Structure formats: C-alpha cells, structure tokens
Amino acid sequence: MPSFTTRPELRGDFGMVASTHWLASAVGMSVLERGGNAADAAVATGFALQVIEPHLNGPGGEVPILLWDPADEQVRVIAGQGVTPAAATPERFADLGLELVPGTGPLAATVPGAVGAWLLLLRQWGTWRLRDVLEPAIGYAENGWPLLPSIARTIATVEQTFRADWPTSAATWLPIPPAGSRMRSPVLAATWRRLLAEAEAATQDRDGQIEAARTAFYEGFVAEAIDAHVRQPVRDSSGDVHVGLLTADDLAAWRCPVEAPTTLDYGDYTVCKTGPWGQGPVFLQQLALLSRFDLAEAGHLTPDYVHVVVEASKLAFADREAWYGDAADVPMLALLSDGYNDERASLIGSAASLELRPGSPDGRAPALRAPLAGAGAGAAGTGEPTVSRDGVTRGDTCHLDVVDRNGLMISATPSGGWLQSSPTIESLGWCLGTRAQMTWLEPGLAATLRPRTRPRTTLSPSLALRNGRPYLAFGTPGGDQQDQWSLVFFLAHVHFGLDLQAAIDAPSFHSTHFPSSFWPRTAEPGGLVIEDRVAMGVIDELRRRGHQVSVSDGWSLGRVSAAGVEPGTGFLRAAANPRGAQGYAVGR
C-alpha cells in the first residue's frame, strides 16, 4: 500500500458522508450529528448538491439510489430515472428530420426523477420532516455559496448559446460570475419554499407532507410550469429549433419504483447494481470476465493488468450496447452465467481488439447500431464531458455515499438537469435534463426510443456486501466511465489491499472503444485514456499491444467516493476523491 495518500481514510463509529462537494458532505454530516439517519442525511445532501453543483445536477434531473436496510437486511434500488414522454417515438423524430435525439434542449427531456426518488427515500427510510432536509438547500440558494471555478468555466462554454438562443438561462447565469464569488439562486429557493408551503398547508402529518410535496411537483404547479415551458421553441444541439414533447400528464403518470438489485458474487463479495435499464450490470459483467484471470499475479497497473481490464471492459460494454434497455428482453442471467463468461473471456488475447464484439447469450443474435467513427466535438452544452479532449476534468454528475451507526448504507448518483443542458424554466429557476439522448431512433435495438420507458442511463451507484454483510457504498460521476473508474477503484482495494483513500488516489484509466451514450454517439475503436502517473514503460507496452493510448493529466480521471463498514472492528470508514479539488469525506 502506498505510504502517502492525499488525505487519510476516515474511520470512526458514528457516521460517514462522502460526496463530490465539501459543502454537501458537511450538510449530510450535520444531519447525522442532529439525530437524523443516513436516509435523512442523503436527502439533505442531494438537495444541497442541486444548488451548489448546478452544472452537474438539478431538480430536473435523475438519481438512482442503492441502499442497505438493516431492518430487513435487504438491498434495494430506488429507480429515480424518469421515463420518456408518451409522444416520444422514433417516427416523431423522423418527421423532424432527426437521426439522433439532440444532446441539448427540450426534445431530449424525460420526466424529472430526482425529486421523486429523494422524497421516496425520505418517506420510507428517513425520520425527518421535509422542511428539515430542504432548509440547507434553501439557505444556500437564498444566501449564496462560493462559486466553483468549474461552474464559471461551464457558463463560459455555453455563454453564446445563452445569449443567442436561451434568454432565460442568460438572465440566470450571465454575466459570467467570477470563481469564488457568492452565487445565489433566488428563484430556485422560491420554488422550494412554495413546495413546502403547499405541503405544510395540506396536513400536519410528516408522511402526508412528503406526499403532498410530491403531488405539488408532479401534478401541481411544477408540472404545469414544465408543460408550458416545453411548448416554447428552442434551438438545440441539432442546430434547429424545436419544441419539447414532455407534458404534465407524463409527470402525473410517473411514480418512482423500488426494485431488487442485480447482483454478482465475486469471491467474498456480492456486488449490487441497478437493473439493465441502466448500465449498472456492466460492472458485474466486467467482474465476471475478470474472475477468469489472476489479477494479483499480473500486478497492479502493470501492462498485463491494464490490458486485461480494458479488454474485459470492451466485451462487457459491447453487451451493454446490444442487450441493455428498459423495454428490452435482457438475458441477464445468461450474461452473468459461468459458461457465457468462460466463452467470452477466451476472446481476450495478447493484442488490443479494435472490434465491437457483443456476445450471443442463450444463442440469441445481438443487434447493434453501426457506431459513428471519430471523437466528434459536439455542440456547447452537450454530453457529459467528464473528460475533455485535453484530459481536463470538468464534471457532469454528482455522487454521494452515507452510512450511519445503525447500519443504514446508501449510494446515490444524482445527475441531469445541469445548467448547460436546456433553457432555464423561468418560474422555477432550473432546467430539464436530456437523458433521452441515450436512446436510439433506429428500430429493433434494445435501447430504441419507446414511449414512457427509461433511457439506458449511465448513472450507476454501487453497493457491495462482504460475506453477506454490508461492506461498501461507492461510485463516481463520469458517464460511460462510471463503471470503469469505479471498477479500477474496487479492484485496487479488493485485490491489492489499498485502503479506500489509497484506492481512490491510485492512477486510473478507461476505454473509449464503444459508442458513447451521449450525443453525437461516437466511438474511438481501441481508445484507452490513462493518467500520466502510470509508468511510461507501461504506456509504451500498451501501445505496442495495439491500444490507442491518450495520456491524461495525472489527476484527471474519476471522482470516486466511498463509505462503508470495516469487518471485524465494525468501524465505519470513508474516502473521497482529490481530483477536481471538490470532493470530501467527513465522519467520526
């Protein structure tokens, strides 16, 4: 284990919160200190992140949540990914002359799932009232928070779009505020105050107030404002002007589901992910393939190690492309079966593959859309640019992990509705997400656009048990990289004994071989991005094996955080990423 880490792994027995922003982590810890449980802390942290990281998430976005409930010793998935509009069909987009769902603007909007998911978590697993968990977010929105340099850079990227085409966003974010200045979101604060007022006027009952707030959002004034907003023509990343398809009826028809996780046993660990409506199971497929190799013998960050991890990622993500989707018949048992993975692992040779090679589980033929070649610059505000072309971390999403002294453990990845995705809704102070861009308009694919179904999201929190007991909640922002960066972290911890902080600090890497989930949906066959702290001899050898290596800044890939329980001692522990100079873990 390295003798030096950027900060210590935290250990204690009261509670731990780790997130992608120090203020949000402090909010969560303050809830634990005042008697709230991990669910209360996660909800308060989540709402705070919507204010202080508006370029990474917002109320118009989504959040899948994994939790271990010590009451019945079960893992559950709160599937806070909203669905596509009832009017969203490939034919509708074809009539508009579009071959892809745009990466910005109202055409790509789905039902906002984050608020429904947070309210469900609070009502079913929390103890606090809605006012208590919303007050920190309202306080930051009204009184201000220190503007991150990355927010200022993001606004600068889309400034011309705001000035030319999105006047409500220009009114909200321009002129570009200087980094470190006190930024306020008074309209957002007023939205939450109205939501609270309507909830508290409806009833004195805690659960009743939470349900009344959900109704006000999905069937009341928020839904009405969204419905009116998307009827206004907006220029999006296609270069043309369109109106949206989302309606108040779409919001009213949606309720956040609670589901069982998809799981895989990996040695002493049981890793839990979302279902294949998201990309989460690709983490499990990578583990299933890698279990056929002796990673410890290969050695951490050696050419053999990086090569086999990357080649396994290519195979697993090829299956994601061919098989994953909300409305698809996903052969998940076959994809994780021993026979299938024995066969797939045999495809990993000594040279880098430049092909996209999905498998045929149960003998079924895979269906793929031909990938678009080349990196593609896209348009301002599109995609989830966690790593820019020059390797600089810019961020796209948030992540948080919480564990309390009673054993409630939560992993959540909020995203979407970021300030650059779509015009600000003038009366609400936030914008809609663009997750529908992850669907295909070509018929017959697992992820083909279908009305009122979930896009195959990249959002992918993780929760691991060890010998059947809760062990670790972890995850990272990063779009298609989420289940690669978190895998690199997990393998470093499990196979090489690095503690949570050392595993986060260790150099990272990822593949760009397969089609991006984000507009304009391009791929880079053989692409491998790796931090420059990896030895140059390793990089040279990877190139010799055929990998198309791009060397990134040494502290640029990933924003992993983690919180868990140490077996034996029962101590709680946590760690957060130094990359981007934002993430922090707190606890005692």
mmCIF file of all heavy atoms in Angstrom, residues 100-144:
data_model
loop_
_atom_site.group_PDB
_atom_site.id
_atom_site.type_symbol
_atom_site.label_atom_id
_atom_site.label_comp_id
_atom_site.label_asym_id
_atom_site.label_seq_id
_atom_site.Cartn_x
_atom_site.Cartn_y
_atom_site.Cartn_z
ATOM 1 N N LEU A 100 -30.726 11.335 -34.607
ATOM 2 C CA LEU A 100 -30.360 11.158 -33.207
ATOM 3 C C LEU A 100 -31.199 12.109 -32.358
ATOM 4 O O LEU A 100 -31.569 13.204 -32.811
ATOM 5 C CB LEU A 100 -28.881 11.481 -32.975
ATOM 6 C CG LEU A 100 -27.822 10.567 -33.590
ATOM 7 C CD1 LEU A 100 -26.439 11.183 -33.389
ATOM 8 C CD2 LEU A 100 -27.873 9.174 -32.972
ATOM 9 N N VAL A 101 -31.482 11.712 -31.129
ATOM 10 C CA VAL A 101 -32.105 12.633 -30.182
ATOM 11 C C VAL A 101 -31.074 13.706 -29.844
ATOM 12 O O VAL A 101 -29.922 13.388 -29.542
ATOM 13 C CB VAL A 101 -32.544 11.893 -28.907
ATOM 14 C CG1 VAL A 101 -33.127 12.872 -27.899
ATOM 15 C CG2 VAL A 101 -33.554 10.799 -29.240
ATOM 16 N N PRO A 102 -31.432 14.982 -29.917
ATOM 17 C CA PRO A 102 -30.449 16.040 -29.634
ATOM 18 C C PRO A 102 -29.857 15.906 -28.235
ATOM 19 O O PRO A 102 -30.481 15.357 -27.318
ATOM 20 C CB PRO A 102 -31.269 17.327 -29.770
ATOM 21 C CG PRO A 102 -32.405 16.960 -30.678
ATOM 22 C CD PRO A 102 -32.725 15.537 -30.353
ATOM 23 N N GLY A 103 -28.651 16.440 -28.080
ATOM 24 C CA GLY A 103 -27.967 16.383 -26.793
ATOM 25 C C GLY A 103 -28.312 17.508 -25.857
ATOM 26 O O GLY A 103 -27.948 17.479 -24.679
ATOM 27 N N THR A 104 -28.995 18.544 -26.356
ATOM 28 C CA THR A 104 -29.472 19.629 -25.511
ATOM 29 C C THR A 104 -30.912 19.946 -25.888
ATOM 30 O O THR A 104 -31.407 19.509 -26.932
ATOM 31 C CB THR A 104 -28.630 20.911 -25.676
ATOM 32 O OG1 THR A 104 -28.766 21.396 -27.030
ATOM 33 C CG2 THR A 104 -27.163 20.673 -25.382
ATOM 34 N N GLY A 105 -31.565 20.735 -25.043
ATOM 35 C CA GLY A 105 -32.897 21.224 -25.369
ATOM 36 C C GLY A 105 -34.028 20.308 -24.935
ATOM 37 O O GLY A 105 -33.819 19.172 -24.493
ATOM 38 N N PRO A 106 -35.278 20.769 -25.082
ATOM 39 C CA PRO A 106 -36.433 20.071 -24.516
ATOM 40 C C PRO A 106 -36.815 18.769 -25.209
ATOM 41 O O PRO A 106 -37.510 17.949 -24.620
ATOM 42 C CB PRO A 106 -37.558 21.109 -24.635
ATOM 43 C CG PRO A 106 -37.140 22.003 -25.755
ATOM 44 C CD PRO A 106 -35.648 22.087 -25.661
ATOM 45 N N LEU A 107 -36.384 18.554 -26.445
ATOM 46 C CA LEU A 107 -36.712 17.292 -27.115
ATOM 47 C C LEU A 107 -36.100 16.087 -26.397
ATOM 48 O O LEU A 107 -36.609 14.971 -26.502
ATOM 49 C CB LEU A 107 -36.224 17.311 -28.566
ATOM 50 C CG LEU A 107 -37.204 17.754 -29.642
ATOM 51 C CD1 LEU A 107 -36.536 17.692 -31.012
ATOM 52 C CD2 LEU A 107 -38.474 16.908 -29.637
ATOM 53 N N ALA A 108 -35.012 16.301 -25.694
ATOM 54 C CA ALA A 108 -34.327 15.206 -25.006
ATOM 55 C C ALA A 108 -34.784 15.023 -23.566
ATOM 56 O O ALA A 108 -34.252 14.178 -22.845
ATOM 57 C CB ALA A 108 -32.816 15.442 -25.029
ATOM 58 N N ALA A 109 -35.788 15.773 -23.140
ATOM 59 C CA ALA A 109 -36.211 15.740 -21.742
ATOM 60 C C ALA A 109 -37.006 14.481 -21.413
ATOM 61 O O ALA A 109 -37.811 14.010 -22.212
ATOM 62 C CB ALA A 109 -37.053 16.975 -21.413
ATOM 63 N N THR A 110 -36.760 13.962 -20.229
ATOM 64 C CA THR A 110 -37.569 12.895 -19.649
ATOM 65 C C THR A 110 -38.237 13.442 -18.391
ATOM 66 O O THR A 110 -37.934 14.548 -17.934
ATOM 67 C CB THR A 110 -36.711 11.680 -19.281
ATOM 68 O OG1 THR A 110 -35.676 12.088 -18.376
ATOM 69 C CG2 THR A 110 -36.062 11.073 -20.517
ATOM 70 N N VAL A 111 -39.147 12.672 -17.812
ATOM 71 C CA VAL A 111 -39.758 13.074 -16.543
ATOM 72 C C VAL A 111 -38.653 13.229 -15.496
ATOM 73 O O VAL A 111 -37.832 12.320 -15.320
ATOM 74 C CB VAL A 111 -40.779 12.014 -16.077
ATOM 75 C CG1 VAL A 111 -41.269 12.324 -14.662
ATOM 76 C CG2 VAL A 111 -41.955 11.943 -17.040
ATOM 77 N N PRO A 112 -38.575 14.368 -14.804
ATOM 78 C CA PRO A 112 -37.547 14.524 -13.763
ATOM 79 C C PRO A 112 -37.747 13.485 -12.654
ATOM 80 O O PRO A 112 -38.798 13.430 -12.026
ATOM 81 C CB PRO A 112 -37.791 15.942 -13.235
ATOM 82 C CG PRO A 112 -38.535 16.643 -14.330
ATOM 83 C CD PRO A 112 -39.373 15.596 -14.977
ATOM 84 N N GLY A 113 -36.725 12.666 -12.421
ATOM 85 C CA GLY A 113 -36.867 11.583 -11.454
ATOM 86 C C GLY A 113 -36.247 11.847 -10.102
ATOM 87 O O GLY A 113 -36.568 11.166 -9.122
ATOM 88 N N ALA A 114 -35.352 12.846 -10.017
ATOM 89 C CA ALA A 114 -34.577 13.029 -8.782
ATOM 90 C C ALA A 114 -35.467 13.386 -7.599
ATOM 91 O O ALA A 114 -35.335 12.809 -6.509
ATOM 92 C CB ALA A 114 -33.505 14.096 -8.994
ATOM 93 N N VAL A 115 -36.356 14.337 -7.782
ATOM 94 C CA VAL A 115 -37.177 14.797 -6.656
ATOM 95 C C VAL A 115 -38.058 13.661 -6.146
ATOM 96 O O VAL A 115 -38.172 13.431 -4.935
ATOM 97 C CB VAL A 115 -38.013 16.022 -7.062
ATOM 98 C CG1 VAL A 115 -39.017 16.380 -5.968
ATOM 99 C CG2 VAL A 115 -37.103 17.212 -7.336
ATOM 100 N N GLY A 116 -38.663 12.911 -7.051
ATOM 101 C CA GLY A 116 -39.484 11.788 -6.629
ATOM 102 C C GLY A 116 -38.695 10.742 -5.870
ATOM 103 O O GLY A 116 -39.180 10.152 -4.891
ATOM 104 N N ALA A 117 -37.462 10.487 -6.310
ATOM 105 C CA ALA A 117 -36.622 9.496 -5.638
ATOM 106 C C ALA A 117 -36.215 9.964 -4.247
ATOM 107 O O ALA A 117 -36.256 9.190 -3.274
ATOM 108 C CB ALA A 117 -35.389 9.201 -6.484
ATOM 109 N N TRP A 118 -35.785 11.224 -4.128
ATOM 110 C CA TRP A 118 -35.394 11.737 -2.814
ATOM 111 C C TRP A 118 -36.581 11.740 -1.855
ATOM 112 O O TRP A 118 -36.437 11.402 -0.664
ATOM 113 C CB TRP A 118 -34.816 13.144 -2.928
ATOM 114 C CG TRP A 118 -33.479 13.249 -3.600
ATOM 115 C CD1 TRP A 118 -33.144 14.070 -4.637
ATOM 116 C CD2 TRP A 118 -32.280 12.526 -3.281
ATOM 117 N NE1 TRP A 118 -31.822 13.905 -4.985
ATOM 118 C CE2 TRP A 118 -31.265 12.966 -4.168
ATOM 119 C CE3 TRP A 118 -31.969 11.556 -2.340
ATOM 120 C CZ2 TRP A 118 -29.966 12.462 -4.127
ATOM 121 C CZ3 TRP A 118 -30.674 11.045 -2.301
ATOM 122 C CH2 TRP A 118 -29.692 11.493 -3.182
ATOM 123 N N LEU A 119 -37.770 12.120 -2.340
ATOM 124 C CA LEU A 119 -38.938 12.131 -1.466
ATOM 125 C C LEU A 119 -39.327 10.727 -1.028
ATOM 126 O O LEU A 119 -39.730 10.510 0.122
ATOM 127 C CB LEU A 119 -40.115 12.813 -2.179
ATOM 128 C CG LEU A 119 -39.956 14.309 -2.472
ATOM 129 C CD1 LEU A 119 -41.185 14.848 -3.201
ATOM 130 C CD2 LEU A 119 -39.704 15.109 -1.192
ATOM 131 N N LEU A 120 -39.196 9.761 -1.913
ATOM 132 C CA LEU A 120 -39.483 8.381 -1.558
ATOM 133 C C LEU A 120 -38.502 7.872 -0.506
ATOM 134 O O LEU A 120 -38.889 7.216 0.471
ATOM 135 C CB LEU A 120 -39.434 7.505 -2.808
ATOM 136 C CG LEU A 120 -39.605 5.990 -2.597
ATOM 137 C CD1 LEU A 120 -40.955 5.673 -1.973
ATOM 138 C CD2 LEU A 120 -39.445 5.254 -3.918
ATOM 139 N N LEU A 121 -37.227 8.150 -0.696
ATOM 140 C CA LEU A 121 -36.214 7.746 0.281
ATOM 141 C C LEU A 121 -36.525 8.350 1.646
ATOM 142 O O LEU A 121 -36.449 7.663 2.677
ATOM 143 C CB LEU A 121 -34.824 8.166 -0.196
ATOM 144 C CG LEU A 121 -33.660 7.903 0.765
ATOM 145 C CD1 LEU A 121 -33.498 6.409 1.052
ATOM 146 C CD2 LEU A 121 -32.351 8.485 0.201
ATOM 147 N N LEU A 122 -36.885 9.626 1.662
ATOM 148 C CA LEU A 122 -37.180 10.305 2.927
ATOM 149 C C LEU A 122 -38.403 9.698 3.607
ATOM 150 O O LEU A 122 -38.385 9.426 4.811
ATOM 151 C CB LEU A 122 -37.400 11.799 2.668
ATOM 152 C CG LEU A 122 -37.736 12.651 3.892
ATOM 153 C CD1 LEU A 122 -36.554 12.696 4.857
ATOM 154 C CD2 LEU A 122 -38.139 14.065 3.464
ATOM 155 N N ARG A 123 -39.467 9.483 2.841
ATOM 156 C CA ARG A 123 -40.718 8.994 3.434
ATOM 157 C C ARG A 123 -40.568 7.566 3.954
ATOM 158 O O ARG A 123 -41.016 7.251 5.050
ATOM 159 C CB ARG A 123 -41.843 9.066 2.405
ATOM 160 C CG ARG A 123 -43.193 8.540 2.922
ATOM 161 C CD ARG A 123 -44.316 8.780 1.936
ATOM 162 N NE ARG A 123 -44.057 8.176 0.651
ATOM 163 C CZ ARG A 123 -44.274 6.890 0.359
ATOM 164 N NH1 ARG A 123 -44.730 6.062 1.290
ATOM 165 N NH2 ARG A 123 -44.036 6.428 -0.849
ATOM 166 N N GLN A 124 -39.925 6.709 3.182
ATOM 167 C CA GLN A 124 -39.922 5.290 3.528
ATOM 168 C C GLN A 124 -38.791 4.895 4.461
ATOM 169 O O GLN A 124 -38.959 3.974 5.272
ATOM 170 C CB GLN A 124 -39.865 4.449 2.250
ATOM 171 C CG GLN A 124 -40.186 2.976 2.461
ATOM 172 C CD GLN A 124 -40.629 2.294 1.182
ATOM 173 O OE1 GLN A 124 -41.171 2.917 0.278
ATOM 174 N NE2 GLN A 124 -40.390 0.998 1.094
ATOM 175 N N TRP A 125 -37.642 5.565 4.373
ATOM 176 C CA TRP A 125 -36.492 5.175 5.191
ATOM 177 C C TRP A 125 -35.993 6.283 6.116
ATOM 178 O O TRP A 125 -35.195 6.011 7.010
ATOM 179 C CB TRP A 125 -35.358 4.692 4.291
ATOM 180 C CG TRP A 125 -35.607 3.335 3.748
ATOM 181 C CD1 TRP A 125 -35.356 2.134 4.365
ATOM 182 C CD2 TRP A 125 -36.172 2.996 2.468
ATOM 183 N NE1 TRP A 125 -35.717 1.082 3.555
ATOM 184 C CE2 TRP A 125 -36.222 1.583 2.382
ATOM 185 C CE3 TRP A 125 -36.636 3.755 1.387
ATOM 186 C CZ2 TRP A 125 -36.724 0.922 1.265
ATOM 187 C CZ3 TRP A 125 -37.139 3.101 0.277
ATOM 188 C CH2 TRP A 125 -37.179 1.702 0.212
ATOM 189 N N GLY A 126 -36.430 7.515 5.904
ATOM 190 C CA GLY A 126 -35.970 8.611 6.735
ATOM 191 C C GLY A 126 -36.826 8.817 7.967
ATOM 192 O O GLY A 126 -37.831 8.128 8.190
ATOM 193 N N THR A 127 -36.422 9.803 8.766
ATOM 194 C CA THR A 127 -37.143 10.141 10.001
ATOM 195 C C THR A 127 -37.498 11.615 10.077
ATOM 196 O O THR A 127 -38.376 11.993 10.847
ATOM 197 C CB THR A 127 -36.303 9.762 11.233
ATOM 198 O OG1 THR A 127 -35.098 10.551 11.253
ATOM 199 C CG2 THR A 127 -35.940 8.277 11.227
ATOM 200 N N TRP A 128 -36.828 12.448 9.325
ATOM 201 C CA TRP A 128 -37.029 13.899 9.410
ATOM 202 C C TRP A 128 -38.203 14.350 8.547
ATOM 203 O O TRP A 128 -38.631 13.645 7.623
ATOM 204 C CB TRP A 128 -35.762 14.620 8.961
ATOM 205 C CG TRP A 128 -34.716 14.719 10.039
ATOM 206 C CD1 TRP A 128 -34.587 13.931 11.144
ATOM 207 C CD2 TRP A 128 -33.650 15.670 10.088
ATOM 208 N NE1 TRP A 128 -33.508 14.326 11.886
ATOM 209 C CE2 TRP A 128 -32.915 15.388 11.261
ATOM 210 C CE3 TRP A 128 -33.243 16.699 9.278
ATOM 211 C CZ2 TRP A 128 -31.793 16.129 11.630
ATOM 212 C CZ3 TRP A 128 -32.112 17.441 9.639
ATOM 213 C CH2 TRP A 128 -31.407 17.159 10.810
ATOM 214 N N ARG A 129 -38.648 15.564 8.834
ATOM 215 C CA ARG A 129 -39.665 16.210 8.007
ATOM 216 C C ARG A 129 -39.017 16.829 6.772
ATOM 217 O O ARG A 129 -37.815 17.118 6.751
ATOM 218 C CB ARG A 129 -40.403 17.284 8.805
ATOM 219 C CG ARG A 129 -41.346 16.712 9.855
ATOM 220 C CD ARG A 129 -42.073 17.789 10.630
ATOM 221 N NE ARG A 129 -43.077 17.185 11.488
ATOM 222 C CZ ARG A 129 -44.353 17.021 11.156
ATOM 223 N NH1 ARG A 129 -44.791 17.464 9.973
ATOM 224 N NH2 ARG A 129 -45.207 16.448 11.988
ATOM 225 N N LEU A 130 -39.856 17.087 5.784
ATOM 226 C CA LEU A 130 -39.358 17.662 4.543
ATOM 227 C C LEU A 130 -38.682 19.004 4.777
ATOM 228 O O LEU A 130 -37.627 19.295 4.199
ATOM 229 C CB LEU A 130 -40.506 17.806 3.543
ATOM 230 C CG LEU A 130 -40.142 18.410 2.185
ATOM 231 C CD1 LEU A 130 -39.121 17.553 1.460
ATOM 232 C CD2 LEU A 130 -41.400 18.587 1.330
ATOM 233 N N ARG A 131 -39.270 19.852 5.617
ATOM 234 C CA ARG A 131 -38.670 21.161 5.876
ATOM 235 C C ARG A 131 -37.238 21.012 6.377
ATOM 236 O O ARG A 131 -36.349 21.767 5.982
ATOM 237 C CB ARG A 131 -39.516 21.933 6.892
ATOM 238 C CG ARG A 131 -38.886 23.253 7.334
ATOM 239 C CD ARG A 131 -39.802 24.052 8.219
ATOM 240 N NE ARG A 131 -40.929 24.571 7.463
ATOM 241 C CZ ARG A 131 -40.907 25.692 6.719
ATOM 242 N NH1 ARG A 131 -39.772 26.388 6.618
ATOM 243 N NH2 ARG A 131 -41.975 26.090 6.082
ATOM 244 N N ASP A 132 -37.017 20.046 7.247
ATOM 245 C CA ASP A 132 -35.691 19.885 7.848
ATOM 246 C C ASP A 132 -34.629 19.551 6.808
ATOM 247 O O ASP A 132 -33.504 20.061 6.875
ATOM 248 C CB ASP A 132 -35.735 18.788 8.910
ATOM 249 C CG ASP A 132 -36.681 19.132 10.049
ATOM 250 O OD1 ASP A 132 -36.808 20.322 10.378
ATOM 251 O OD2 ASP A 132 -37.300 18.203 10.603
ATOM 252 N N VAL A 133 -34.972 18.686 5.848
ATOM 253 C CA VAL A 133 -33.962 18.289 4.871
ATOM 254 C C VAL A 133 -33.820 19.313 3.744
ATOM 255 O O VAL A 133 -32.784 19.353 3.069
ATOM 256 C CB VAL A 133 -34.260 16.898 4.274
ATOM 257 C CG1 VAL A 133 -34.206 15.843 5.357
ATOM 258 C CG2 VAL A 133 -35.593 16.875 3.550
ATOM 259 N N LEU A 134 -34.827 20.152 3.527
ATOM 260 C CA LEU A 134 -34.745 21.166 2.475
ATOM 261 C C LEU A 134 -34.085 22.454 2.941
ATOM 262 O O LEU A 134 -33.585 23.233 2.118
ATOM 263 C CB LEU A 134 -36.142 21.491 1.942
ATOM 264 C CG LEU A 134 -36.647 20.719 0.728
ATOM 265 C CD1 LEU A 134 -38.048 21.178 0.357
ATOM 266 C CD2 LEU A 134 -35.711 20.873 -0.458
ATOM 267 N N GLU A 135 -34.074 22.708 4.237
ATOM 268 C CA GLU A 135 -33.575 24.002 4.718
ATOM 269 C C GLU A 135 -32.132 24.303 4.325
ATOM 270 O O GLU A 135 -31.820 25.439 3.954
ATOM 271 C CB GLU A 135 -33.760 24.097 6.233
ATOM 272 C CG GLU A 135 -35.184 24.496 6.614
ATOM 273 C CD GLU A 135 -35.379 24.650 8.110
ATOM 274 O OE1 GLU A 135 -34.538 24.113 8.878
ATOM 275 O OE2 GLU A 135 -36.366 25.292 8.515
ATOM 276 N N PRO A 136 -31.199 23.339 4.371
ATOM 277 C CA PRO A 136 -29.839 23.681 3.926
ATOM 278 C C PRO A 136 -29.789 24.114 2.460
ATOM 279 O O PRO A 136 -29.094 25.088 2.122
ATOM 280 C CB PRO A 136 -29.064 22.383 4.150
ATOM 281 C CG PRO A 136 -29.810 21.663 5.211
ATOM 282 C CD PRO A 136 -31.252 21.978 4.961
ATOM 283 N N ALA A 137 -30.514 23.418 1.584
ATOM 284 C CA ALA A 137 -30.525 23.791 0.168
ATOM 285 C C ALA A 137 -31.138 25.174 -0.025
ATOM 286 O O ALA A 137 -30.623 25.994 -0.794
ATOM 287 C CB ALA A 137 -31.304 22.754 -0.640
ATOM 288 N N ILE A 138 -32.231 25.443 0.669
ATOM 289 C CA ILE A 138 -32.866 26.760 0.564
ATOM 290 C C ILE A 138 -31.917 27.834 1.083
ATOM 291 O O ILE A 138 -31.798 28.921 0.498
ATOM 292 C CB ILE A 138 -34.195 26.773 1.332
ATOM 293 C CG1 ILE A 138 -35.212 25.853 0.651
ATOM 294 C CG2 ILE A 138 -34.750 28.196 1.434
ATOM 295 C CD1 ILE A 138 -36.496 25.660 1.433
ATOM 296 N N GLY A 139 -31.208 27.528 2.162
ATOM 297 C CA GLY A 139 -30.262 28.500 2.707
ATOM 298 C C GLY A 139 -29.171 28.862 1.723
ATOM 299 O O GLY A 139 -28.847 30.050 1.539
ATOM 300 N N TYR A 140 -28.583 27.856 1.057
ATOM 301 C CA TYR A 140 -27.554 28.145 0.062
ATOM 302 C C TYR A 140 -28.144 28.902 -1.132
ATOM 303 O O TYR A 140 -27.509 29.810 -1.675
ATOM 304 C CB TYR A 140 -26.885 26.855 -0.408
ATOM 305 C CG TYR A 140 -25.893 26.295 0.574
ATOM 306 C CD1 TYR A 140 -26.026 25.001 1.061
ATOM 307 C CD2 TYR A 140 -24.819 27.060 1.028
ATOM 308 C CE1 TYR A 140 -25.116 24.478 1.966
ATOM 309 C CE2 TYR A 140 -23.916 26.555 1.931
ATOM 310 C CZ TYR A 140 -24.070 25.261 2.403
ATOM 311 O OH TYR A 140 -23.160 24.757 3.314
ATOM 312 N N ALA A 141 -29.341 28.530 -1.558
ATOM 313 C CA ALA A 141 -29.955 29.200 -2.712
ATOM 314 C C ALA A 141 -30.257 30.660 -2.401
ATOM 315 O O ALA A 141 -30.076 31.536 -3.253
ATOM 316 C CB ALA A 141 -31.214 28.459 -3.128
ATOM 317 N N GLU A 142 -30.696 30.944 -1.181
ATOM 318 C CA GLU A 142 -31.054 32.319 -0.814
ATOM 319 C C GLU A 142 -29.843 33.157 -0.421
ATOM 320 O O GLU A 142 -29.708 34.314 -0.847
ATOM 321 C CB GLU A 142 -32.048 32.302 0.340
ATOM 322 C CG GLU A 142 -33.439 31.848 -0.056
ATOM 323 C CD GLU A 142 -34.424 31.913 1.086
ATOM 324 O OE1 GLU A 142 -33.997 31.886 2.265
ATOM 325 O OE2 GLU A 142 -35.639 31.975 0.816
ATOM 326 N N ASN A 143 -28.961 32.586 0.375
ATOM 327 C CA ASN A 143 -27.845 33.348 0.930
ATOM 328 C C ASN A 143 -26.573 33.270 0.103
ATOM 329 O O ASN A 143 -25.686 34.107 0.248
ATOM 330 C CB ASN A 143 -27.552 32.869 2.359
ATOM 331 C CG ASN A 143 -28.753 33.003 3.264
ATOM 332 O OD1 ASN A 143 -29.488 33.987 3.190
ATOM 333 N ND2 ASN A 143 -28.977 32.006 4.114
ATOM 334 N N GLY A 144 -26.478 32.246 -0.741
ATOM 335 C CA GLY A 144 -25.339 32.134 -1.629
ATOM 336 C C GLY A 144 -24.338 31.075 -1.193
ATOM 337 O O GLY A 144 -24.301 30.646 -0.043
#
